[in-house]
Structure formats: C-alpha cells, structure tokens
Amino acid sequence: MNQLNAPQARAVRFVDGPCLVLAGAGSGKTSVITRKIAYLIEDCGIPARNIAAVTFTNKAAREMKERASKLVKGKASRGLIVSTFHNLGLRIIRAEYKKLGLKAGFSIFDSEDARAVLKEIMLRNNDLDTDLLDRVQNQISTWKNDLVTPEQALQMVQSPGEEAFARIYLGYDQALNAYNALDFDDLIGRPVQLFSDQPDVMARWQQRVRYLLVDEYQDTNNSQYRLVKQLVGDRHSLTVVGDDDQSIYAWRGANPENLNQLQQDFPTLTVIKLEQNYRSTSRLLRAANHLIQFNPHVFDKTLWSDLGLGEPIRVLRCANDEVEAERVATEILHQRLGRGIKFRDFAVLYRGNHQSKLLELKLQQHQIPYNISGGTSFFARSEIKDIMAYLRLVVNPDDDNAFLRIVNTPRRQIGTSTLQTLGQYASQREISLYAAAHEFGLQQQLPAQAMQRLQKFVDTLENTRRACEEHDPVRILRELVDEIDYEGWLHQNASSGKVAERRMENVHFLLGSIQKMLDKDEDDSMDLQAAISKLILQDLLDRQEEEDLSDRVQLMTLHAAKGLEFPHVFVLGLEENILPHANAVAEGNVEEERRLAYVGITRAQKTLTLTLAAKRKQFGEVLETTPSRFLDELPQEDLIREGFGEESSPERNKDRASATLANLRDLLA
C-alpha cells in the first residue's frame, strides 16, 4: 500500500459500495486491481474463491493473475477467479450445461466455424447472396450482444432484407442447438439468459462471487454489462476500472455509455479518479488532454505527470505517402544513431493495416528490423484449420468440431437439415457424429440420397484412417487431399489464382512438417496422432508467447496499441478520411476517432512524431489530402511543424548532421 498514491490507495480500500475507478492512461490501474484483490482477501476476510476479476484479453488476465499471486501467496489465493469475460461465461456454462439443454462435450464454434454454418443456410434457402455473409454474421452478433432472440428479431424487422437476416438467425440458432454447439457470443448470452430464467441459479452464483472487479469497463457490451449486474445483485460489491477516453471498440459492440449507466443503476456509486500518469512527459499529456476535451464528458479528468516537460511534438508533412514512409524510416535511423536508441524503443502506429505496406518496404531497404503485431498465426489460416480438422478426425473420430468443419469442405451437398437430423440422433444415442453416421438407425430418419452422401464422406475418412496405420501416413494424407480436390476448392473460393496457390503451398508445408517430425523420430515413439498433437501444442505455445522483445521496430494499428507503451512513437496518416476515418466521418462518429488519436498520443513516453502526406495514392489514383482536424485541436505551442511551407533552415540541418556524426563516432569508439 505504501507504493500507491493517495487516490490509488483510496480505490483499494473502498469496499462500502459500488466503485468506479476512472483510470487515465498510464495511471497504474492494474496495480489498483491486484492490490485490491489482496486487500479483500487479507484485510476484509473474503475468501479468494469468492472473488472474481474479469478483463478482455488472455494476456491481461495472465498478467493480473501473476501479479495477484505475488501479493497473496499459498493457500490464501486458492480458488481466485481471474479471467476474461468469455472464460467466466464458459465456467458458468460448464457448471450449468444441463440446465441450458446442452450435453457434455459441447463444441465451441470460432468465427470460421460459424461462417460455414451460416453459408450453408444461406445457400440452402437462397435467401441472400453469400457476398452478404459478413453483414449477416455481424448482425447476428449484434443481436446476440443486445440479448435479442431470433423470435424477437423476427418481430422487430422493418424490411424484407431485415426479415431475411432474422430468418437466417433463426436457422443458425437451430443448427447450433442440433450440433450441441455454442458460438463466441453465446458464452456471455447464454449465462445471462439462464440467470434471467432461473433466479435460483443466479442466486447460487451470486453467493459464489461475493466481490466482482472489472477491468477496461468502457469496453463492455450490453450483454456483458447485464452479466455484471446479475452477478453483483443487491450486494453492490463491485469495483469497475475504466476510461471513457479510451473507448475505441464500438465497431465490435462495446458501449462506452455503460460507464454513464452505472450512476443510474447504482445511485450510491463512488467515483475515484486516477489522474497521475507514470508513463509520459507533461507536454505529451497536455496535448492529449487538450485534444480529448473536444469530446463531451460525463466524468472530467486531467492527466498530469512529474516526469518533466519533455520535447515538443513534431508534425511532419511529406510530399506523398512514399516520402512519408521514407521519412519515418530515416528518422528512426537518425534517432537511433544520434541518441543511441535501440530499435525496440520505436513504435509506428497507423489507423489501418494497409498503411504498413509502403513502410515495410522502406524499412527493408534501410535494413531496419521490425515486427508487425497482430499477424495471422499459421494455424489460424482457414486452409490449415481445414486440413488439421481432417487430420484430427482421422486420428480421433469422436471430434465433433472437426467433423462439422469439414463435412462440407469441399462442398458435398450435405445440407443443414441432414446435419440437424444427424446431430439430434447422435445426441439421443450419446455418441459422436462420426459414429452416428455409421448406424443403421440413422437410415430410418434420412432420405436415401442424403444418407448416401454422408456415408461416402465417412467411408473416405475410415479408409484413410486404416491406410495410415498400414502405409506411409503422410503419403496417404496427400492422396486424401488430392481425392477431395482441395486445391480445386481453394481456387473456387479464393479471390485470385495466386491466393489459391499460396494457400495450397501452406497445406504442402503442413504435411511436409509432419513428414519431418516422423522422419526425425529415432525410437519409433512418434506416430501420426502424436505428431498432430505436437503441432497443436506448438500452436498454443506460439500464441501464448509474450510480445517480441528482440531489437525490432514495432508496427501496429492504433487499436492494437491500446494498453502498450513505447519511448518513441510515430503516428502515420494524420489526414481527413484516414484519421478520422472516412466511414466515421460519414456516420457522424468522429468522437471515437478522436479517442483513437488520444490513445496514440498516450502510448508515447518520451517523443511523439505525427506524419501526413500532401498527396496519397488511393484506389489506383493520386489524391490531394486535407490535414486531420485533430492537428488543429492540439495545443499549437507544443508543436514543431515541418513541410507546411515554412522556409527551410540550413543551419538547423547542419547542426543536426553534425550531432549525428559526433554520436556515431562515440558509438564506434
């Protein structure tokens, strides 16, 4: 507690009612949450098993749990729940699955699994062009997050198009029930619905969670907020930590109004502001405060720092986007040589992933190492997930999730109604889908043609499984890929022939990796199943690795940068229609874009450089740009502008070159 400032200590000790900790960027909110967990256990006598802390990412949950375990050691920390919202929902579902009408071993569909089901429904019904698949999926997700059932959605429709969406939603919901499956949104929605329908179950969980802490509260959607209210009940033992100025996820359902709603739902709410920033210089915070004041606020706060005034913010206007990328690369080299800064201390942030392409080329040309955050894992690629599903099913026929992923990949005209009947039959018999497809009883419930297609699919897999036991398994797997004409399927569904070829190369790489693993096995302990399990584990470990700490410049979107900090930050594309984004301007949602710019500024610890291009190539043509309105909303006395028509200063350029050479000599010496 001695390490906390006064507002932080007050937030930790306050347990007499609902509490909102309004935590500005870099104000030490994680310390408050972890120390409050320790305070609740050690000073308030609440058992760890009756405390839950929830956040939004696995990484944040891991960090929180590690820090809490250092403060509360041994048996005292046993049973403490520190997890994401979705993991908490899954914990509830696993305990109450029978009450939800699920059977043991239910599947959880990821986005790709859900898309496959939706696409099949749309093709079967001919309701809508499958080009609208993303819109349908997003709309269903929105309905689920707003706790709207398919039946309610059908009652709310106001046009034929909306009715088509709602009918697909109904078919999708029925398909999930038949498959004994849940999607990502259900992990919150189903517990909320269960608590609403069965108050006795909710009361039991309220006894289980006697104190609830919520991190990044501004990012909660409607269903998550409802779950919080249900778990807290009348006890009001709740601490939420959030910052309305960093709410940048409305596009995925987050509702910053939930912070405002707290005051109405909890009239005795106590608000504690954390305004001291431990990350950035005073000048950077002054710029951030000045910018965000252009947004309306229910809760006002002003960040401050005792780290000194710091350097002015540089605004560089370049002739075009190529010059902008070149300038950023040379600035990084100049600062690294001139100040002896490591590459890993630089971050380049941008509004959209497309902005990184030119920059990558320039960094490569200057031999500057870099790392792009948010890159797609090899195992997350759809073609790898498809082939891995075939492999999983070959070695484990009871893997229903794998079965559902590939039963129509490539398409075999096995319709949703067939799969629903199969799912219901398997559920009644309490066997896997694969096993059910072999049973005589299923033939009594399916048309002959549907049964024939299903039988052909499982026979193909059964033959492959047996052949793998008797012959070279990788050769047999390659023959399977050829037999199902997976390459033809890729060409049918890819945007171009080159894309399909790259995806097929990934498939060959996967099979080649399995071959190498089997070839390197010296004591014959590695079979096909062990090789596949090792690949899956390798993927899980890769995903759990901490951020790349090697000496590389970090490139990422502004959204991905939230929660991170870097000594030296560049933000690209300070232009109208980029930041703020054109869609946000058209929709009248500039406030969230301003919050995004605020997040970018507050990532910087020491220096901040903002760049823009006078001309930018977009959609095949070169367009003149307009500087972002956000530049005018910054305190002008804290900015140094270059490239806005001011006269160049030969003396300044000479001094800069001399300083660089002097520092380079020192480094070499």
Side-chain angles (χ1 to χ4, degrees):
M1 296 293 285
N2 294 334
Q3 298 175 17
L4 303 179
N5 63 35
Q8 288 175 330
R10 183 180 171 223
V12 168
R13 292 192 180 99
F14 185 86
V15 293
D16 296 328
C19 177
L20 165 61
V21 181
L22 201 66
S27 61
K29 65 181 177 63
T30 306
S31 293
V32 169
I33 294 173
T34 53
R35 281 174 167 77
K36 187 153 193 170
I37 291 171
Y39 182 76
L40 290 168
I41 295 170
E42 296 178 344
D43 292 68
C44 302
I46 300 177
R49 66 179 178 275
N50 296 130
I51 299 171
V54 291
T55 186
F56 281 85
T57 67
N58 288 323
K59 181 183 173 184
R62 280 198 306 273
E63 181 188 354
M64 201 182 293
K65 193 159 192 173
E66 286 168 6
R67 290 172 69 167
S69 65
K70 290 177 182 176
L71 296 170
V72 184
K73 297 179 180 177
K75 293 181 181 179
S77 65
R78 225 173 255 173
L80 174 68
I81 298 174
V82 180
S83 73
T84 63
F85 265 103
H86 290 90
N87 276 327
L88 177 61
L90 181 57
R91 180 187 291 256
I92 296 169
I93 291 169
R94 281 180 174 151
E96 312 290 351
Y97 71 90
K98 290 182 180 177
K99 289 184 169 60
L100 287 163
L102 296 166
K103 68 175 184 177
F106 57 84
S107 298
I108 299 172
F109 280 12
D110 64 13
S111 179
E112 287 296 319
D113 295 329
R115 281 175 67 86
V117 175
L118 286 169
K119 188 172 184 180
E120 182 60 36
I121 292 170
M122 293 168 72
L123 288 169
R124 181 190 68 194
N125 296 343
N126 292 319
D127 280 336
L128 289 168
D129 191 324
T130 52
D131 288 345
L132 296 173
L133 187 55
D134 286 339
R135 283 183 56 190
V136 172
Q137 191 169 22
N138 290 336
Q139 180 58 62
I140 290 174
S141 180
T142 299
W143 274 326
K144 287 194 172 194
N145 288 331
D146 289 338
L147 303 171
V148 176
T149 66
E151 293 76 18
Q152 290 170 334
L154 278 167
Q155 293 174 357
M156 293 163 51
V157 299
Q158 297 180 347
S159 70
E162 289 181 6
E163 182 178 355
F165 277 36
R167 293 203 177 280
I168 293 169
Y169 180 21
L170 180 63
Y172 174 67
D173 190 58
Q174 291 169 345
L176 288 183
N177 289 334
Y179 298 157
N180 190 41
L182 303 168
D183 66 15
F184 200 60
D185 297 317
D186 289 329
L187 298 181
I188 307 295
R190 294 297 288 273
V192 169
Q193 194 62 52
L194 175 66
F195 288 169
S196 297
D197 295 341
Q198 301 189 40
D200 58 320
V201 178
M202 180 170 69
R204 190 166 68 249
W205 278 91
Q206 287 172 347
Q207 285 300 112
R208 171 73 172 81
V209 181
R210 286 173 49 195
Y211 203 99
L212 182 65
L213 302 100
V214 184
D215 188 23
E216 302 287 6
Y217 197 72
Q218 75 282 347
D219 293 337
T220 55
N221 60 33
N222 293 336
S223 59
Q224 288 160 343
Y225 181 46
R226 180 79 175 275
L227 182 62
V228 168
K229 286 176 61 181
Q230 289 174 326
L231 287 171
V232 170
D234 296 329
R235 190 186 288 121
H236 290 184
S237 299
L238 170 70
T239 293
V240 305
V241 180
D243 181 4
D244 50 350
D245 292 332
Q246 295 189 74
S247 180
I248 57 174
Y249 295 117
W251 52 275
R252 68 182 188 197
N255 184 5
E257 295 301 313
N258 287 344
L259 275 173
N260 308 341
Q261 189 67 32
L262 278 170
Q263 286 188 314
Q264 299 177 32
D265 293 336
F266 301 96
T268 60
L269 182 73
T270 294
V271 179
I272 299 173
K273 299 178 183 179
L274 305 184
E275 297 174 297
Q276 182 176 0
N277 175 286
Y278 293 93
R279 172 190 300 163
S280 308
T281 63
S282 296
R283 197 190 301 266
L284 291 169
L285 297 179
R286 186 161 65 194
N289 290 332
H290 202 278
L291 173 70
I292 207 63
Q293 286 307 310
F294 285 86
N295 276 3
H297 288 81
V298 174
F299 306 105
D300 289 320
K301 70 176 184 308
T302 303
L303 294 179
W304 62 276
S305 165
D306 59 8
L307 299 177
L309 181 61
E311 298 183 24
I313 296 168
R314 299 175 67 206
V315 183
L316 309 181
R317 185 170 182 261
C318 304
N320 56 49
D321 45 355
E322 186 170 349
V323 175
E324 178 190 40
E326 174 73 22
R327 182 69 188 272
V328 170
T330 55
E331 283 288 332
I332 290 172
L333 276 180
H334 167 74
Q335 291 192 40
R336 182 173 184 271
L337 294 173
R339 302 187 183 198
I341 301 168
K342 294 186 180 298
F343 282 127
R344 66 168 174 260
D345 291 336
F346 294 98
V348 186
L349 314 180
Y350 34 81
R351 179 63 178 83
N353 280 309
H354 66 279
Q355 291 173 261
S356 72
K357 292 177 183 177
L358 270 176
L359 181 63
E360 285 188 72
L361 289 172
K362 298 299 181 183
L363 293 176
Q364 289 168 4
Q365 286 173 14
H366 290 281
Q367 297 183 324
I368 298 173
Y370 64 91
N371 177 63
I372 295 187
S373 296
T376 304
S377 157
F378 179 72
F379 290 90
R381 300 177 189 276
S382 60
E383 65 273 15
I384 299 304
K385 291 176 78 171
D386 286 344
I387 301 305
M388 284 296 290
Y390 273 99
L391 303 187
R392 282 160 46 197
L393 207 54
V394 166
V395 299
N396 176 21
D398 291 333
D399 190 333
D400 282 358
N401 225 10
F403 185 100
L404 290 171
R405 180 174 184 92
I406 59 171
V407 68
N408 260 325
T409 306
R411 196 157 180 245
R412 299 181 175 89
Q413 295 181 307
I414 299 173
T416 306
S417 58
T418 299
L419 294 175
Q420 286 176 347
T421 302
L422 174 64
Q424 289 163 357
Y425 179 84
S427 181
Q428 291 165 3
R429 296 272 294 119
E430 295 188 345
I431 57 178
S432 69
L433 300 173
Y434 188 94
H438 286 90
E439 293 208 345
F440 178 76
L442 182 64
Q443 297 181 24
Q444 314 304 312
Q445 300 184 26
L446 281 177
Q449 197 173 30
M451 188 67 202
Q452 186 178 3
R453 289 171 182 155
L454 194 60
Q455 196 69 55
K456 183 179 179 183
F457 169 64
V458 294
D459 284 349
T460 298
L461 290 169
E462 188 64 25
N463 293 336
T464 300
R465 187 175 65 81
R466 289 174 180 164
C468 283
E469 293 173 355
E470 299 171 3
H471 306 285
D472 173 12
V474 176
R475 178 175 64 80
I476 300 301
L477 294 174
R478 292 187 192 278
E479 290 174 1
L480 172 64
V481 172
D482 290 340
E483 182 182 345
I484 64 175
D485 190 21
Y486 188 75
E487 186 168 6
W489 165 258
L490 289 178
H491 278 277
Q492 288 174 26
N493 291 275
S495 56
S496 70
K498 286 187 177 179
V499 170
E501 288 167 11
R502 280 202 303 271
R503 290 179 178 171
M504 197 63 205
E505 286 172 8
N506 289 335
V507 172
H508 292 315
F509 181 82
L510 173 67
L511 296 175
S513 299
I514 296 173
Q515 184 70 65
K516 287 179 183 177
M517 291 167 69
L518 296 174
D519 290 344
K520 286 182 180 178
D521 181 36
E522 296 178 355
D523 56 4
D524 292 329
S525 62
M526 180 74 71
D527 59 9
L528 184 61
Q529 184 170 4
I532 291 168
S533 297
K534 188 173 180 180
L535 282 175
I536 294 170
L537 179 59
Q538 178 184 320
D539 175 41
L540 292 173
L541 291 174
D542 286 347
R543 295 188 197 188
Q544 290 173 4
E545 280 184 0
E546 292 301 312
E547 65 271 15
D548 185 356
L549 294 178
S550 59
D551 194 20
R552 298 171 181 270
V553 176
Q554 301 300 312
L555 312 184
M556 66 189 73
T557 65
L558 287 160
H559 284 99
K562 185 169 174 288
L564 303 177
E565 57 188 55
F566 307 93
H568 308 281
V569 170
F570 291 80
V571 182
L572 304 187
L574 266 291
E575 303 154 25
E576 290 293 303
N577 298 328
I578 292 183
L579 186 65
H581 194 276
N583 291 346
V585 174
E587 295 164 5
N589 192 20
V590 173
E591 289 175 13
E592 177 149 333
E593 295 293 297
R594 187 175 286 110
R595 291 194 290 269
L596 202 53
Y598 173 87
V599 165
I601 293 171
T602 54
R603 298 314 93 196
Q605 296 171 297
K606 296 179 180 178
T607 70
L608 175 67
T609 304
L610 310 176
T611 70
L612 63 156
K615 294 181 180 180
R616 188 173 295 275
K617 191 173 183 179
Q618 291 180 312
F619 311 113
E621 58 179 320
V622 177
L623 303 174
E624 292 195 6
T625 69
T626 302
S628 170
R629 67 190 74 186
F630 300 149
L631 292 174
D632 293 332
E633 295 173 358
L634 296 172
Q636 300 304 301
E637 65 274 16
D638 289 324
L639 307 183
I640 292 180
R641 292 172 177 258
E642 297 180 30
F644 287 84
E646 74 284 352
E647 291 185 12
S648 61
S649 171
E651 293 80 10
R652 185 169 63 183
N653 292 339
K654 186 177 179 181
D655 290 344
R656 184 177 167 196
S658 298
T660 300
L661 285 171
N663 281 293
L664 182 57
R665 287 192 203 99
D666 291 342
L667 285 171
L668 293 172

